Amino acid sequence: MLNHCFLCRNEDLKEMLESNKESLKLEAMKRIVGLIAKGKNASELFPAVVKNVASKNIELKKLVYVYLVRYAEEQQDLALLSISTFQRALKDPNQLIRASALRVLSSIRVPIIVPIMMLAIKEAATDLSPYVRKTAAHAIQKLYSLDPDQKEHLIEVIEKLLKDKSTLVAGSVVMAFEEVCPDRIDLIHKNYRKLCNLLVDVEEWGQVVIIHMLTRYARTQFVSPWREDAVFDENSEKTFYDSEEERRVDQSKPYIMDPDHRLLLRNTKPLLQSRNTAVVMAVSQLYWHLSPKHELSVITKSLVRLLRSHREVQYIVLQNIATMSIQRKGMFEPFMKSFYVRSTDATHIKTLKLEILTNLANEANISTILRELQTYVKSQDKAFVAATIQAIGRCATNISEVTDTCLNGLVLLLSNRDETVVAESVVVIKKLLQTQPSQHSDIIKHMAKLFDNITVPMARASILWLMGEYCEHVPKIAPDVLRKMAKTFTSEEDIVKLQTVNLAAKLYLSNSKQTKLLTQYILNLGKYDQNYDIRDRTRFIRQLIVPNEKSGALSRYARRILMAPKPAPVLQSAFKDRDRFQLGTLSHTLNSQSNGYLELSDWPAVAPDQSVRIVEVVEPVKEAGAPLLGKSKPGKSAEKFYSDSEEEEEGSSSEDSSSSSSEESESESESEENSDDSNKSSSSESDSEKKKKTLKNKKLQQQKPDSKDRYWSHSVQSHLFFLNKFLVVFKFNLRCIALLLIIITKLFSIHIVLSFSNQFVASCRCSLLRLCVFLACQFDAVSWHVRVSLQASFPVFVPETSHELLHRMTGKGLSAQYRFTRQPCIYGNSMVSLQLTLSNSSDQALENIHISEKSSTGQNIHHFNAIGELHTWTCGSVLFSFSTKEDEFSVSIQPAVGELLVPITMTEADFTKEQGLSVWLTNDRLGTGNRFKNSHLLKYLKRLICHAFLLCYWSMPFLSENF
Amino acid sequence: MIHSLFLVNASGDIFLEKHWKSVVSRSVCDYFFEAVERATEPENVPPVIPTPHHCLINVLRQRVYFVAVIQSEVPPLFVIEFLHRVVDTFQDYFGVCTEAAVKDNVVVVYELLEEMLDNGFPLATESNILKELIKPPTILRTVVNTITGSTNVGEQLPTGQLSVVPWRRTGVKYTNNEAYFDVVEEIDAIIDKSGSTITAEIQGVIDACVKLTGMPDLTLSFMNPRLLDDVSFHPCVRFKRWEAERILSFVPPDGNFRLLSYHVSSQNLVAIPVYVKHNISFREGSSQGRFELTLGPKQTMGKAVESVLVSSQLPRGVLNANLSPSQGTYTFDPVTKLLSWDVGKINPQKLPSLKGSMSLQTGASKPDENPTINLQFKIQQLAVSGLKVNRLDMYGEKYKPFKGIKYMTKAGKFQVRT
């Protein structure tokens, strides 16, 4: 009948859905959604509903989507009817419609459409709208759970999306990564720094996921900061990289934190101020698992703050604090009062607070804690009182000074009216007495007196055990208790019976005269007990203590077996073993490994190659440079300087992003001007394209064959690899371009390093009028980008042009000009050759012209990376008769962009590939969503790359005095 | 992440279910009901309940349980925080988040849940964004919609989704431009038997109601920012600026929001504005107990203490209470043994008191525990920590907004042990 009625109603709905009126349809859909919400089955309306999937009314359409997602799994064939609508919607100009179409399409769990979904995801992953890309990231997980065989393809999409710069996408794609391929940690390397820097701007839910992922990542990539002898001053940051090589040689070297490790800690710290409790917890666990111990204290306040939040939040936070407080009492001790229990707290909150208070107890604060615990004992919540008594017991065992006080307090509780309180006290006293039984025979006597009134089995059993164990201390009372037990034996609980048997056995051995008959009586009762445990025990005890012909050697040892001194039980926290789980996880809360839990690995003994995270550098270049350097000067490795500068930049970029809007707009306009410049230059370049091509080809032939092989004749993939990397780098640097430009226009200095070898300096006597010096220099990647915008109008391919470096007026007679020779540099492929022409227009000879090495000392690195390096010339003081001080001239070189590129040859096919890439480059995925106007710059870059057949190549910055 | 959501009312009925992945049978809630049964009070239900195949994480708000079904590892706080955010959103939309409100607006609720989670991962939780996607139901709009056939659902992607300030929508217009800030401080304290303070701390929030046209950029500065020990911000606040200058600089969301919550450093002594004199005693052998309670103001900086409410959970042995208040009304529930006394305003000249006797079960021994007294009160025009807003400036827009600031002190978890 009821069923019939329901069907009638469905007929009614069907009619409404098939009518022509939108409003009726909508009304019907609303009712259907109401049915779904109540959990009623509305699946038979599927055909009628699915017809409306292409409705113009957006609310109706959305409700149809809701229905479809709910029932498509059950009605797979009919669901397929709707697919074409979604495919059409995926091409809609409205991004919201594209996104929701993808959402629904991927939520329909119909295995047949897997290929369609895959296609849609791939397309959406390159969509212009970050919102659609975010939806694509979500769809990845859905497709993966529908068809795990797609994993490989999905990983490709994830890899692509991980490179996305939009904060909207970051959280979702990391979520997909965690779900689909959490073990592919290598995908993170290149994006690590980007994720760290974006983190603050990501939406809060994404932050949680990213932080958890980065915690895991950091545990595999950095060495432990928890070394005993660790040195922790902030200054050590300056010398980071020194350690890298030496650490392998000498383990006792003080620990110095990897800058990337530091970056993570620094960028997550502000998030402790988040309003989202999950974010605060995530950061706290990150600090707990990753930070040096002395930095851990920053999380304490924030965690305590969370205790003001909802009951459920409190519960989770307290659990985590409980685990932390076992290992590190000091962290929470100043906040002890925040863990005082209020009568309005829920029971599970109370017990957790108690747990923490107990963990925090030490000699200094125990009296305060005990006073607090005393008030808890009077609480109305009996379960809580029982927990309090346990806590007092733990305090008593942990801190020997108060053991007696606690014991006396507990004995007082024995006269409490509430049975659970008494019982719990007995159990705790029993444990305490075990540690020092001799002095406390009066307590045992007292408990024997209470025995008649206590009915809680556990407490009775405890008293019996005490009697048996210490029967020597109470020789008169124990047999009497046994007598009473013999009377009531049959009506006792099993646990009490077992202890009675034990007591009987022990008394039989120590005082057989008085108790022989009683024991035999009890053993006989036990023999016919219903519980086999007790029958078993009885049989065993009888064989053990009553000597007869059958019992072997064992009975001779009966006394030693039964009366052996027993180690006192250790009262410890229930949270002791929870630290095997990562804090803040579900597994930690449940104290059992849940599905999909990803274990936090131990710190590696030796840090894996940290260069994998460097995005700016084309890798093979570095490989070439490193060994050369390593031989000559192990102390200063290339990475050192490099990453340091990088660090600095990141700092500035983040500052920049948070600086006030007025400043930003100013800098933006400036960069626009510059990019206009670059546009002009690029047009001039394309004019001279042909000329350039031939030139480049020639150059290439001159190049050493081995280097050519190594770097430029790789497969297309490697080109792609380089180019990709270049783009990533470039994107990154755009962030800080606004700030850098301001500085440069003011100071007009440059980040380059000129280096001479010492020998060379010696031979460079300037008695001649003119001198040509060939230099090898390296250009910092950072300054290079700046140059792109400033100096792009130089006719880059005319090698004859030389530029003034030092005017004779400023140089006090010495003038210098420089020119790019475009010869392959003999000192390494990471460098660019430079011809310096020095002339002396004064009438005195200048001697000992050399390049000051001041710029390359460790001291200056930090400084000049921030504002641009000052390269200096020094004229020796000896021959400068007119000057007593040494003269130093600061000069700057502004290389044109083309000078930093290395020509290559390519097949036609390769070129088209590259062109394809550059089309990809113009796609706004690079530029959308960020605040920097870089499209001009990018356009310029693109032309530069594809027209000139160049694969970009520039040197990594590094310093050395060895040239 | 979040697989499904069940809404359960106080009597244990599931009145709404929503699934983001494959359907999970509602029988999974049986484990939850077991836990509810085991718990003596609704608050005592553990927030995380493991079951063989799933894990149930629940949140209790206004006598409705929100039970989320989890299948794999996820930070539990993530789910809890999200569920609370869902409740907040419902409150924002319907005024309250009760069973009735949800049932009345089931379609909007469903649309909201659909937008807030995608595949169990939060998609849009910012109320400004949601309101552009799904307009809150009002009577007027319902009428208009039925006549014109227009819908409550937005057709464009909310501007906030893609902007740098996702919390603010563009194109906001008001005729009266106003910005109000409420500084509300709560005193959490435990006072012991003798009247001395065991622990006391001040937690404060600044709630704002900003109705300003365009994209205003506000700065709020304090006279004494050093007082703020630990703070958490709405995402709109520029953290760097706070770090450097101790100034709150932000582009505000439109409407009501919580700008800041803070904790006043524990070094500062907390002024306790109220004292309680009590004498609650039971005599051995007699079936009567004495009950005396007097309240008085203390350190209130000359401000009146208002809306005072005293509540206390009396021992189980108490059968009834026969009391007479000098002002206000009191109630005693013989079943839950909850005594509550609505005092109203404290007049310093004539202190309010509640005196009388309690009758105990005859024959039962005297209860060995003493009840704790929970206190609620409000003091207008006073921030008990002494925090003062210095000035509020607006940049980026030309008009002159109307600015207002209000201070209030409330009792948080204020307990007196007897």
Side-chain angles (χ1 to χ4, degrees), chain A residues 385 439 506 533 729 869-870 876:
Chain A
V385 174
Q439 308 96 301
K506 286 171 186 170
D533 243 2
V729 171
E869 177 195 345
L870 297 175

Side-chain angles (χ1 to χ4, degrees), chain A residues 241-415:
Chain A
Y241 276 82
D242 285 348
S243 56
E244 184 45 36
E245 260 159 309
E246 279 153 271
R247 198 182 300 142
R248 282 172 208 140
V249 187
D250 183 12
Q251 274 297 318
S252 68
K253 184 105 174 74
Y255 166 77
I256 286 142
M257 190 182 278
D258 188 296
D260 287 325
H261 191 169
R262 170 59 62 203
L263 176 75
L264 178 60
L265 290 177
R266 197 177 44 210
N267 284 6
T268 48
K269 197 175 165 189
L271 296 180
L272 283 172
Q273 253 67 45
S274 171
R275 64 169 171 172
N276 189 320
T277 56
V279 175
V280 178
M281 189 65 231
V283 178
S284 304
Q285 66 84 23
L286 180 132
Y287 263 76
W288 177 258
H289 291 295
L290 296 182
S291 85
K293 297 291 186 200
H294 72 286
E295 287 174 34
L296 205 54
S297 55
V298 294
I299 66 171
T300 318
K301 257 186 207 169
S302 307
L303 282 177
V304 173
R305 187 187 70 227
L306 297 190
L307 296 181
R308 283 276 305 169
S309 193
H310 298 283
R311 176 183 67 98
E312 298 84 7
V313 176
Q314 274 184 48
Y315 174 71
I316 305 291
V317 174
L318 284 171
Q319 274 192 332
N320 285 294
I321 291 180
T323 305
M324 290 184 191
S325 61
I326 293 172
Q327 284 183 39
R328 299 185 62 82
K329 284 184 185 187
M331 248 174 93
F332 291 97
E333 214 198 309
F335 296 90
M336 196 174 76
K337 287 188 172 171
S338 305
F339 304 109
Y340 281 6
V341 175
R342 293 159 201 277
S343 61
T344 43
D345 288 335
T347 307
H348 51 259
I349 303 277
K350 285 179 185 168
T351 34
L352 280 171
K353 282 186 171 176
L354 207 57
E355 177 74 42
I356 294 167
L357 281 178
T358 321
N359 289 341
L360 293 181
N362 59 23
E363 281 83 356
N365 60 22
I366 185 69
S367 58
T368 331
I369 289 182
L370 277 184
R371 209 177 312 132
E372 189 64 22
L373 293 182
Q374 264 171 6
T375 58
Y376 299 164
V377 168
K378 291 185 195 141
S379 162
Q380 299 182 15
D381 184 344
K382 292 306 164 202
F384 171 56
V385 174
T388 309
I389 294 169
Q390 292 276 7
I392 294 174
R394 263 180 60 202
C395 288
T397 43
N398 294 345
I399 299 156
S400 52
E401 280 93 335
V402 292
T403 312
D404 286 346
T405 332
C406 290
L407 206 50
N408 290 337
L410 289 172
V411 171
L412 283 181
L413 285 178
L414 288 178
S415 48

